[in-house]
Amino acid sequence: MTAKKRTAILISGRGSNLQALIEAAADPAYSAQIALVLSNVADAPGLARAATAGIPTKTVSHRGHATRESFDGEIEKALRQDGIELVCLAGFMRVLSDTFVRNWEGRLINIHPSLLPAFKGLHVHRQVLDAGVRISGCTVHFVVPEIDSGAIIAQAAVPVFADDNEETLAARTLDAEHRLYPLALELLAGGRVALENGRARFTGMPANTGALFNPLA
Ligand code: GRF
């Protein structure tokens, strides 16, 4: 078996996606090892999840950094020190500088709780409900300097119900996120997806030929 890819997860809060990644990576056959959890918030609950799993943590506060570049420089240093090869953003609420994003091109991924390119930015579930779409979902994508853009690696769809509110839709979407992110990281760490000319290029991918209907067909 080839060596597991040393992966850092960047968080700012709850860390439920981090938890899903930790659990997936516990499988000896998983291609990524969660080698570091880094937060910009010292009391982010996700840090406790990492500690419980015996994963090293670091806090790099954005406060005290005059510029984005200086904050990112400290993150870069931490990642290098730990020999990190892949980076997953999982509820990391800071925008990374263009320099950082370019340094990690093809090795830096993010999860967003909508079917991108629809509903970028914040208050995603509010946007989804306001638009009245019947299907929403989540997306894992390569990170590029433009927010919530970048080549899409994987998506999962969830139905939107007439009586949904932001909380119920967020919970349904989050369940899908917890399945999607480990799948996407495995594809990247296992060399089954790579960024090529701004697109995700796959090798040996099983295709899902079924359709999701809402209302049910
Ligand atoms: C998730 O909904 C993710 O899609 C978004 O931020 C949220 C993070 O949740 N980017 P958690 O910290 O992983 O629980």
Side-chain angles (χ1 to χ4, degrees), residues 109-156:
I109 62 177
N110 180 47
I111 189 156
H112 182 79
S114 77
L115 290 175
L116 289 173
F119 311 118
K120 297 179 180 182
L122 297 173
H123 310 294
V124 175
H125 302 299
R126 176 81 266 144
Q127 295 184 53
V128 169
L129 293 170
D130 286 350
V133 296
R134 298 271 63 91
I135 291 177
S136 188
C138 50
T139 303
V140 176
H141 62 95
F142 287 107
V143 176
V144 293
E146 197 189 331
I147 304 278
D148 299 330
S149 303
I152 291 171
I153 297 172
Q155 294 184 305

Side-chain angles (χ1 to χ4, degrees), residues 14-17 91 111-113 174 177:
R14 179 176 61 183
S16 70
N17 278 288
I111 189 156
H112 182 79
L174 200 61
E177 291 182 47

Side-chain angles (χ1 to χ4, degrees), residues 4-5 7-11 15-28 30-37 49-50 53 55 86-91 109-111 140 174 176-189:
K4 288 174 181 270
K5 293 278 185 197
T7 303
I9 317 293
L10 270 54
I11 63 164
S16 70
N17 278 288
L18 162 67
Q19 186 70 45
L21 292 167
I22 290 173
E23 285 166 20
D27 180 344
Y30 200 71
S31 301
Q33 175 200 349
I34 314 301
L36 176 68
V37 173
R49 297 180 190 264
I55 298 167
L86 300 176
V87 178
C88 297
L89 306 182
I109 62 177
N110 180 47
I111 189 156
V140 176
L174 200 61
E177 291 182 47
H178 296 162
R179 292 172 61 195
L180 188 73
Y181 215 170
L183 168 82
L185 176 58
E186 172 59 32
L187 294 179
L188 182 63

